[in-house]
Amino acid sequence: MSLLLQDAPRWLFLLLTALLIGNVAGVVFVGAHTDEAYYWMLSQRPGLSYFDHPPLVPWMMRLFTALFGHDEVVFRLPAVIAWFVAAWAIFSISHQLSNNRQAAWVSLLVFASLPIFQAGFQIVGPDSGLMLFTALTYYCAIRAVNQQSALWWLLAGICTGLGMLSKYNAVLVPFAVFLTLVLSKRGREQMLTPWPWAAGFLALFCFIPVLIWNYQNEWASFAFQWKHGTDIAPGSWYDNLSLYIINQMGVVLPWVFIAMVVAAVKAHHYASYQNPYTLKLMRVGFAVPLVFFGVTGLLVKGQASWPAMAYIPGSILLGIALNQWISKRWVAIIVMFSVMLSLVFVNLLRFPQWTSWFEKGTIPRSHISNTFGWEKILAEVEAIRAEEAIVAGNNCRIMAVPGYDNGGFPYYLLAAKLGVEYGNALRVTAAPGGRLTQFDFWRKQETDKTPPVCVLITGPSTRTNSPAEMIKDNKTWQRKNLVEITAPDGSVRWYGIYSQKR
């Protein structure tokens, strides 16, 4: 399916271009997010799987850095490629469902403008693989059913397995495919053949590395994710449901979320009747994640990004619906305004330098602020490590330890960011403490030949009163320096750097 530009209205093409410029600027000019740094650490120490996440995205990051070198733009390339391939799949499904190329372009514009997918272009992580293989699984399943093709079923199975190797909640995608097979006549006919079942077995085969890792580690990852997904949420069911809906409106913008729900309910008025299975799959694929996490969210804590796969079919359904009305000038103006607002909103988050125009504390600090100041931190840490290396050895390491006041910043991400800045995943580690991370499993592999720790770092803190001394690993460590970092939003944070007291 080719994306012929002449099929798109000029204003739509200009909006897509503006969105892409903003996305590329984020990739090139915004430093590595702390979560990305952690995924990079995983990628530099390959394994069958990892404690926090399945392995596919770290594997992809490892491939790109091995081919093209250590660079933040390089290890973000899997996210960029995933975004473009998912965009192509969305365009293709929308065109098939509507039999209208302009509708396909509008669906692509909806997808490109959603804040959650604009961030997905820039920030590489498990959601990159989830986005990619959700779109490809639906694309392959549609081709498999409509063409009654064994090959497309096998490809759907591979994409499903790769999706589950990206993020565990991707299991809802094959569930949506299966449910749609049960609910549609053509789908039930396909279930009488061996190929949908072969696709399921192929997906499980792809997932074997995760099963092996969990078996070798007492099912630690599954247990952690189960606990993570079943923590009881405070508040009443009404409060939790309200928060869930507000979160979903936040990741795609309120009016877009409402419009998607309406488009999904009334989709039969806009879609071509030539593809009943495709239409049903898009509606089910949109509803299943939102309903599942909405119901579970009544009692347990959830994250706004968990139902992200719903917005792949949601973009298609809303694009097709909007195309019916886009010829009306007032509708086109509303769409243009919505897309531009999304573009401005996301880029204000990406580039928080503008907050310096206001007094300190006026604008809440964003996570992007944690991407600034690391060159200074690294220089200070390395100066002390170089001094300690004379005694401890040239390969001695830096350990991040739980902070006295870290403002909720997970200290193991501090180790990950330093690893990225060093370009050396073995130079840093994280102390035990707090929740388990992959660092705790790597620590089990250490031997007498593992280089010793010669520097501790703690932070970020919003106060300067870090302890002058601390006890760690039965050793006394004294503070050598307190590094002050001022973020573009005007907030100030401090990092304490310690060496062993002699």
Side-chain angles (χ1 to χ4, degrees), residues 265-315:
V265 171
K266 303 184 70 175
H268 58 283
H269 293 301
Y270 309 118
S272 168
Y273 288 98
Q274 298 175 3
N275 298 285
Y277 175 80
T278 305
L279 175 59
K280 189 161 292 185
L281 178 58
M282 293 298 96
R283 298 173 86 174
V284 172
F286 176 68
V288 163
L290 290 175
V291 172
F292 177 84
F293 288 110
V295 172
T296 59
L298 297 178
L299 299 175
V300 303
K301 295 178 181 178
Q303 294 184 3
S305 64
W306 283 359
M309 71 284 283
Y311 301 116
I312 297 293
S315 297

Short mmCIF file of all heavy atoms in Angstrom, two decimals, residues 265-315:
data_model
loop_
_atom_site.label_atom_id
_atom_site.label_comp_id
_atom_site.label_asym_id
_atom_site.label_seq_id
_atom_site.Cartn_x
_atom_site.Cartn_y
_atom_site.Cartn_z
N VAL A 265 -18.57 3.61 18.40
CA VAL A 265 -19.97 3.21 18.54
C VAL A 265 -20.70 3.32 17.21
O VAL A 265 -21.52 2.46 16.84
CB VAL A 265 -20.66 4.08 19.62
CG1 VAL A 265 -22.17 3.83 19.62
CG2 VAL A 265 -20.07 3.78 20.99
N LYS A 266 -20.41 4.37 16.43
CA LYS A 266 -21.13 4.64 15.18
C LYS A 266 -20.33 4.25 13.94
O LYS A 266 -20.64 4.69 12.84
CB LYS A 266 -21.50 6.12 15.12
CG LYS A 266 -22.33 6.60 16.31
CD LYS A 266 -22.76 8.04 16.16
CE LYS A 266 -23.79 8.18 15.07
NZ LYS A 266 -24.34 9.55 14.96
N ALA A 267 -19.31 3.41 14.13
CA ALA A 267 -18.41 3.10 13.02
C ALA A 267 -19.11 2.47 11.83
O ALA A 267 -18.69 2.64 10.68
CB ALA A 267 -17.29 2.17 13.52
N HIS A 268 -20.19 1.74 12.07
CA HIS A 268 -20.88 1.07 10.96
C HIS A 268 -21.50 2.08 9.99
O HIS A 268 -21.82 1.72 8.85
CB HIS A 268 -21.96 0.13 11.51
CG HIS A 268 -22.98 0.81 12.37
ND1 HIS A 268 -22.71 1.17 13.67
CD2 HIS A 268 -24.25 1.20 12.11
CE1 HIS A 268 -23.80 1.75 14.19
NE2 HIS A 268 -24.73 1.78 13.26
N HIS A 269 -21.65 3.32 10.42
CA HIS A 269 -22.20 4.35 9.52
C HIS A 269 -21.15 4.88 8.55
O HIS A 269 -21.49 5.46 7.52
CB HIS A 269 -22.75 5.53 10.33
CG HIS A 269 -23.94 5.19 11.15
ND1 HIS A 269 -25.12 4.70 10.62
CD2 HIS A 269 -24.14 5.27 12.50
CE1 HIS A 269 -26.01 4.50 11.58
NE2 HIS A 269 -25.43 4.83 12.74
N TYR A 270 -19.85 4.68 8.88
CA TYR A 270 -18.79 5.30 8.11
C TYR A 270 -17.94 4.31 7.32
O TYR A 270 -17.36 4.66 6.30
CB TYR A 270 -17.86 6.09 9.05
CG TYR A 270 -18.60 7.03 9.96
CD1 TYR A 270 -18.55 6.89 11.33
CD2 TYR A 270 -19.35 8.08 9.43
CE1 TYR A 270 -19.23 7.75 12.18
CE2 TYR A 270 -20.04 8.95 10.26
CZ TYR A 270 -19.98 8.78 11.63
OH TYR A 270 -20.66 9.63 12.46
N ALA A 271 -17.88 3.07 7.78
CA ALA A 271 -16.98 2.09 7.16
C ALA A 271 -17.65 1.42 5.97
O ALA A 271 -18.87 1.38 5.84
CB ALA A 271 -16.56 1.04 8.18
N SER A 272 -16.81 0.86 5.10
CA SER A 272 -17.31 0.12 3.95
C SER A 272 -17.86 -1.23 4.40
O SER A 272 -17.27 -1.91 5.24
CB SER A 272 -16.17 -0.11 2.95
OG SER A 272 -16.54 -1.05 1.97
N TYR A 273 -18.99 -1.62 3.85
CA TYR A 273 -19.59 -2.91 4.23
C TYR A 273 -18.89 -4.08 3.57
O TYR A 273 -19.25 -5.24 3.79
CB TYR A 273 -21.08 -2.92 3.86
CG TYR A 273 -21.91 -2.04 4.76
CD1 TYR A 273 -22.28 -0.77 4.38
CD2 TYR A 273 -22.32 -2.49 6.01
CE1 TYR A 273 -23.03 0.05 5.20
CE2 TYR A 273 -23.07 -1.70 6.86
CZ TYR A 273 -23.43 -0.42 6.45
OH TYR A 273 -24.16 0.38 7.29
N GLN A 274 -17.86 -3.81 2.79
CA GLN A 274 -17.12 -4.90 2.15
C GLN A 274 -16.20 -5.62 3.12
O GLN A 274 -15.72 -6.71 2.83
CB GLN A 274 -16.29 -4.34 0.99
CG GLN A 274 -17.12 -3.69 -0.11
CD GLN A 274 -16.25 -3.04 -1.16
OE1 GLN A 274 -15.02 -3.12 -1.11
NE2 GLN A 274 -16.87 -2.37 -2.13
N ASN A 275 -15.96 -5.04 4.29
CA ASN A 275 -15.00 -5.62 5.24
C ASN A 275 -15.60 -5.73 6.64
O ASN A 275 -15.17 -5.04 7.57
CB ASN A 275 -13.73 -4.76 5.29
CG ASN A 275 -13.02 -4.70 3.95
OD1 ASN A 275 -12.37 -5.65 3.55
ND2 ASN A 275 -13.15 -3.56 3.28
N PRO A 276 -16.60 -6.58 6.83
CA PRO A 276 -17.25 -6.66 8.15
C PRO A 276 -16.30 -7.16 9.23
O PRO A 276 -16.38 -6.70 10.38
CB PRO A 276 -18.40 -7.65 7.92
CG PRO A 276 -17.99 -8.45 6.71
CD PRO A 276 -17.22 -7.50 5.85
N TYR A 277 -15.40 -8.09 8.89
CA TYR A 277 -14.46 -8.58 9.91
C TYR A 277 -13.50 -7.48 10.33
O TYR A 277 -13.21 -7.32 11.52
CB TYR A 277 -13.68 -9.78 9.38
CG TYR A 277 -12.62 -10.24 10.37
CD1 TYR A 277 -12.94 -11.03 11.46
CD2 TYR A 277 -11.29 -9.84 10.22
CE1 TYR A 277 -11.99 -11.43 12.38
CE2 TYR A 277 -10.32 -10.23 11.14
CZ TYR A 277 -10.68 -11.02 12.21
OH TYR A 277 -9.73 -11.40 13.12
N THR A 278 -13.01 -6.72 9.36
CA THR A 278 -12.07 -5.64 9.67
C THR A 278 -12.72 -4.63 10.59
O THR A 278 -12.11 -4.18 11.59
CB THR A 278 -11.60 -4.95 8.38
OG1 THR A 278 -11.06 -5.92 7.49
CG2 THR A 278 -10.55 -3.90 8.68
N LEU A 279 -13.95 -4.23 10.30
CA LEU A 279 -14.66 -3.26 11.14
C LEU A 279 -14.84 -3.81 12.54
O LEU A 279 -14.58 -3.11 13.53
CB LEU A 279 -16.01 -2.93 10.51
CG LEU A 279 -16.92 -2.03 11.35
CD1 LEU A 279 -16.25 -0.69 11.62
CD2 LEU A 279 -18.27 -1.84 10.65
N LYS A 280 -15.26 -5.06 12.64
CA LYS A 280 -15.49 -5.64 13.96
C LYS A 280 -14.21 -5.74 14.75
O LYS A 280 -14.18 -5.46 15.97
CB LYS A 280 -16.16 -7.00 13.82
CG LYS A 280 -16.66 -7.59 15.12
CD LYS A 280 -17.68 -8.69 14.87
CE LYS A 280 -18.96 -8.13 14.29
NZ LYS A 280 -20.02 -9.14 14.14
N LEU A 281 -13.11 -6.10 14.10
CA LEU A 281 -11.83 -6.21 14.79
C LEU A 281 -11.37 -4.86 15.32
O LEU A 281 -10.84 -4.76 16.44
CB LEU A 281 -10.77 -6.80 13.86
CG LEU A 281 -9.36 -6.95 14.45
CD1 LEU A 281 -9.39 -7.82 15.71
CD2 LEU A 281 -8.40 -7.52 13.42
N MET A 282 -11.57 -3.82 14.55
CA MET A 282 -11.16 -2.49 15.01
C MET A 282 -12.00 -2.05 16.22
O MET A 282 -11.46 -1.46 17.17
CB MET A 282 -11.29 -1.46 13.88
CG MET A 282 -10.32 -1.67 12.72
SD MET A 282 -8.56 -1.53 13.21
CE MET A 282 -8.13 -3.26 13.49
N ARG A 283 -13.27 -2.35 16.19
CA ARG A 283 -14.11 -1.96 17.33
C ARG A 283 -13.76 -2.78 18.57
O ARG A 283 -13.67 -2.23 19.68
CB ARG A 283 -15.58 -2.13 16.96
CG ARG A 283 -16.01 -1.25 15.80
CD ARG A 283 -17.42 -1.55 15.34
NE ARG A 283 -18.43 -0.82 16.08
CZ ARG A 283 -19.71 -0.82 15.79
NH1 ARG A 283 -20.15 -1.51 14.72
NH2 ARG A 283 -20.57 -0.15 16.50
N VAL A 284 -13.54 -4.05 18.39
CA VAL A 284 -13.17 -4.91 19.53
C VAL A 284 -11.78 -4.55 20.03
O VAL A 284 -11.54 -4.47 21.24
CB VAL A 284 -13.24 -6.40 19.13
CG1 VAL A 284 -12.67 -7.29 20.23
CG2 VAL A 284 -14.68 -6.79 18.82
N GLY A 285 -10.85 -4.30 19.09
CA GLY A 285 -9.49 -3.94 19.47
C GLY A 285 -9.43 -2.63 20.23
O GLY A 285 -8.55 -2.43 21.08
N PHE A 286 -10.34 -1.73 19.93
CA PHE A 286 -10.42 -0.47 20.67
C PHE A 286 -11.04 -0.68 22.04
O PHE A 286 -10.56 -0.12 23.05
CB PHE A 286 -11.24 0.54 19.86
CG PHE A 286 -11.47 1.85 20.57
CD1 PHE A 286 -10.42 2.73 20.80
CD2 PHE A 286 -12.75 2.21 21.00
CE1 PHE A 286 -10.63 3.95 21.46
CE2 PHE A 286 -12.97 3.42 21.65
CZ PHE A 286 -11.90 4.29 21.87
N ALA A 287 -12.08 -1.50 22.11
CA ALA A 287 -12.84 -1.63 23.35
C ALA A 287 -12.15 -2.50 24.39
O ALA A 287 -12.17 -2.18 25.58
CB ALA A 287 -14.23 -2.19 23.04
N VAL A 288 -11.53 -3.61 23.97
CA VAL A 288 -11.02 -4.60 24.93
C VAL A 288 -10.01 -3.99 25.91
O VAL A 288 -10.17 -4.14 27.13
CB VAL A 288 -10.44 -5.82 24.19
CG1 VAL A 288 -9.54 -6.64 25.11
CG2 VAL A 288 -11.56 -6.69 23.66
N PRO A 289 -8.94 -3.32 25.45
CA PRO A 289 -7.99 -2.77 26.44
C PRO A 289 -8.62 -1.72 27.35
O PRO A 289 -8.34 -1.69 28.56
CB PRO A 289 -6.88 -2.16 25.57
CG PRO A 289 -7.02 -2.81 24.24
CD PRO A 289 -8.48 -3.06 24.07
N LEU A 290 -9.46 -0.86 26.79
CA LEU A 290 -10.07 0.19 27.60
C LEU A 290 -11.00 -0.39 28.65
O LEU A 290 -10.99 0.03 29.81
CB LEU A 290 -10.83 1.17 26.71
CG LEU A 290 -9.97 2.07 25.81
CD1 LEU A 290 -10.85 2.90 24.89
CD2 LEU A 290 -9.09 2.99 26.65
N VAL A 291 -11.80 -1.38 28.26
CA VAL A 291 -12.72 -2.00 29.22
C VAL A 291 -11.96 -2.80 30.26
O VAL A 291 -12.23 -2.73 31.46
CB VAL A 291 -13.74 -2.89 28.49
CG1 VAL A 291 -14.57 -3.69 29.48
CG2 VAL A 291 -14.65 -2.03 27.61
N PHE A 292 -10.96 -3.57 29.80
CA PHE A 292 -10.20 -4.42 30.73
C PHE A 292 -9.53 -3.58 31.81
O PHE A 292 -9.68 -3.85 33.01
CB PHE A 292 -9.16 -5.23 29.96
CG PHE A 292 -8.28 -6.07 30.85
CD1 PHE A 292 -8.71 -7.32 31.26
CD2 PHE A 292 -7.05 -5.62 31.27
CE1 PHE A 292 -7.92 -8.11 32.09
CE2 PHE A 292 -6.24 -6.39 32.10
CZ PHE A 292 -6.68 -7.64 32.51
N PHE A 293 -8.78 -2.57 31.40
CA PHE A 293 -8.06 -1.77 32.39
C PHE A 293 -9.01 -0.83 33.14
O PHE A 293 -8.70 -0.42 34.27
CB PHE A 293 -6.93 -0.99 31.73
CG PHE A 293 -5.79 -1.86 31.32
CD1 PHE A 293 -5.52 -2.08 29.98
CD2 PHE A 293 -4.99 -2.48 32.26
CE1 PHE A 293 -4.47 -2.90 29.59
CE2 PHE A 293 -3.94 -3.30 31.89
CZ PHE A 293 -3.67 -3.51 30.54
N GLY A 294 -10.13 -0.49 32.53
CA GLY A 294 -11.12 0.29 33.25
C GLY A 294 -11.75 -0.51 34.37
O GLY A 294 -11.91 -0.01 35.49
N VAL A 295 -12.07 -1.78 34.12
CA VAL A 295 -12.66 -2.63 35.14
C VAL A 295 -11.66 -2.94 36.24
O VAL A 295 -11.95 -2.81 37.44
CB VAL A 295 -13.21 -3.93 34.52
CG1 VAL A 295 -13.65 -4.91 35.60
CG2 VAL A 295 -14.39 -3.62 33.60
N THR A 296 -10.45 -3.35 35.86
CA THR A 296 -9.44 -3.65 36.87
C THR A 296 -9.05 -2.40 37.65
O THR A 296 -8.70 -2.48 38.83
CB THR A 296 -8.19 -4.28 36.24
OG1 THR A 296 -7.64 -3.36 35.25
CG2 THR A 296 -8.52 -5.59 35.56
N GLY A 297 -9.11 -1.25 36.98
CA GLY A 297 -8.74 -0.01 37.63
C GLY A 297 -9.72 0.45 38.69
O GLY A 297 -9.43 1.39 39.44
N LEU A 298 -10.88 -0.19 38.78
CA LEU A 298 -11.81 0.15 39.84
C LEU A 298 -11.24 -0.19 41.21
O LEU A 298 -11.59 0.45 42.22
CB LEU A 298 -13.14 -0.60 39.64
CG LEU A 298 -13.92 -0.28 38.37
CD1 LEU A 298 -15.16 -1.14 38.30
CD2 LEU A 298 -14.28 1.20 38.31
N LEU A 299 -10.37 -1.21 41.25
CA LEU A 299 -9.85 -1.68 42.53
C LEU A 299 -8.34 -1.57 42.65
O LEU A 299 -7.81 -1.47 43.76
CB LEU A 299 -10.27 -3.14 42.75
CG LEU A 299 -11.78 -3.42 42.82
CD1 LEU A 299 -12.03 -4.92 42.92
CD2 LEU A 299 -12.40 -2.70 44.02
N VAL A 300 -7.61 -1.63 41.52
CA VAL A 300 -6.14 -1.68 41.60
C VAL A 300 -5.54 -0.45 40.92
O VAL A 300 -6.17 0.19 40.09
CB VAL A 300 -5.59 -2.97 40.94
CG1 VAL A 300 -6.20 -4.20 41.59
CG2 VAL A 300 -5.85 -2.98 39.44
N LYS A 301 -4.29 -0.16 41.31
CA LYS A 301 -3.58 0.95 40.70
C LYS A 301 -3.26 0.63 39.25
O LYS A 301 -2.93 -0.51 38.91
CB LYS A 301 -2.29 1.23 41.45
CG LYS A 301 -2.48 1.69 42.89
CD LYS A 301 -1.13 1.91 43.56
CE LYS A 301 -1.30 2.35 45.00
NZ LYS A 301 0.02 2.51 45.68
N GLY A 302 -3.31 1.60 38.39
CA GLY A 302 -2.94 1.41 36.99
C GLY A 302 -2.15 2.60 36.49
O GLY A 302 -2.02 3.62 37.17
N GLN A 303 -1.62 2.45 35.30
CA GLN A 303 -0.89 3.55 34.66
C GLN A 303 -1.64 3.98 33.41
O GLN A 303 -2.27 3.16 32.73
CB GLN A 303 0.52 3.11 34.32
CG GLN A 303 1.38 2.83 35.55
CD GLN A 303 2.81 2.50 35.20
OE1 GLN A 303 3.20 2.53 34.04
NE2 GLN A 303 3.60 2.17 36.21
N ALA A 304 -1.53 5.25 33.10
CA ALA A 304 -2.29 5.81 31.98
C ALA A 304 -1.93 5.14 30.66
O ALA A 304 -2.78 5.05 29.76
CB ALA A 304 -2.06 7.31 31.89
N SER A 305 -0.70 4.65 30.53
CA SER A 305 -0.26 4.10 29.24
C SER A 305 -0.65 2.64 29.04
O SER A 305 -0.45 2.11 27.95
CB SER A 305 1.27 4.22 29.13
OG SER A 305 1.91 3.43 30.12
N TRP A 306 -1.18 1.98 30.03
CA TRP A 306 -1.44 0.55 29.90
C TRP A 306 -2.40 0.21 28.75
O TRP A 306 -2.18 -0.76 28.04
CB TRP A 306 -1.97 -0.01 31.22
CG TRP A 306 -0.87 -0.22 32.23
CD1 TRP A 306 0.47 0.03 32.05
CD2 TRP A 306 -1.01 -0.68 33.57
NE1 TRP A 306 1.17 -0.27 33.20
CE2 TRP A 306 0.29 -0.69 34.16
CE3 TRP A 306 -2.09 -1.08 34.35
CZ2 TRP A 306 0.52 -1.10 35.47
CZ3 TRP A 306 -1.86 -1.49 35.67
CH2 TRP A 306 -0.58 -1.51 36.21
N PRO A 307 -3.48 0.97 28.50
CA PRO A 307 -4.37 0.62 27.37
C PRO A 307 -3.91 1.22 26.04
O PRO A 307 -4.72 1.38 25.13
CB PRO A 307 -5.72 1.22 27.78
CG PRO A 307 -5.54 1.81 29.14
CD PRO A 307 -4.09 2.03 29.33
N ALA A 308 -2.62 1.55 25.91
CA ALA A 308 -2.15 2.30 24.73
C ALA A 308 -2.50 1.60 23.42
O ALA A 308 -2.75 2.26 22.40
CB ALA A 308 -0.63 2.50 24.81
N MET A 309 -2.54 0.26 23.43
CA MET A 309 -2.81 -0.44 22.17
C MET A 309 -4.22 -0.16 21.65
O MET A 309 -4.50 -0.36 20.47
CB MET A 309 -2.61 -1.95 22.34
CG MET A 309 -3.64 -2.66 23.20
SD MET A 309 -3.45 -2.38 24.97
CE MET A 309 -2.08 -3.46 25.31
N ALA A 310 -5.11 0.34 22.50
CA ALA A 310 -6.47 0.66 22.05
C ALA A 310 -6.48 1.79 21.03
O ALA A 310 -7.38 1.87 20.18
CB ALA A 310 -7.34 1.05 23.24
N TYR A 311 -5.47 2.65 21.08
CA TYR A 311 -5.50 3.84 20.25
C TYR A 311 -4.94 3.62 18.85
O TYR A 311 -4.93 4.55 18.04
CB TYR A 311 -4.79 4.98 20.97
CG TYR A 311 -5.45 5.27 22.30
CD1 TYR A 311 -4.78 5.08 23.51
CD2 TYR A 311 -6.78 5.65 22.35
CE1 TYR A 311 -5.40 5.30 24.73
CE2 TYR A 311 -7.43 5.87 23.56
CZ TYR A 311 -6.73 5.69 24.74
OH TYR A 311 -7.37 5.90 25.94
N ILE A 312 -4.48 2.39 18.57
CA ILE A 312 -4.18 2.03 17.18
C ILE A 312 -5.48 1.88 16.39
O ILE A 312 -5.73 2.62 15.43
CB ILE A 312 -3.32 0.76 17.12
CG1 ILE A 312 -1.97 0.96 17.80
CG2 ILE A 312 -3.15 0.30 15.68
CD1 ILE A 312 -1.04 1.93 17.11
N PRO A 313 -6.38 0.95 16.77
CA PRO A 313 -7.68 0.90 16.06
C PRO A 313 -8.52 2.15 16.30
O PRO A 313 -9.30 2.55 15.43
CB PRO A 313 -8.35 -0.35 16.64
CG PRO A 313 -7.67 -0.61 17.93
CD PRO A 313 -6.26 -0.13 17.76
N GLY A 314 -8.33 2.80 17.47
CA GLY A 314 -9.08 4.03 17.72
C GLY A 314 -8.76 5.11 16.72
O GLY A 314 -9.64 5.85 16.27
N SER A 315 -7.48 5.22 16.33
CA SER A 315 -7.08 6.21 15.32
C SER A 315 -7.73 5.91 13.98
O SER A 315 -8.16 6.83 13.26
CB SER A 315 -5.56 6.21 15.17
OG SER A 315 -4.91 6.59 16.36
#
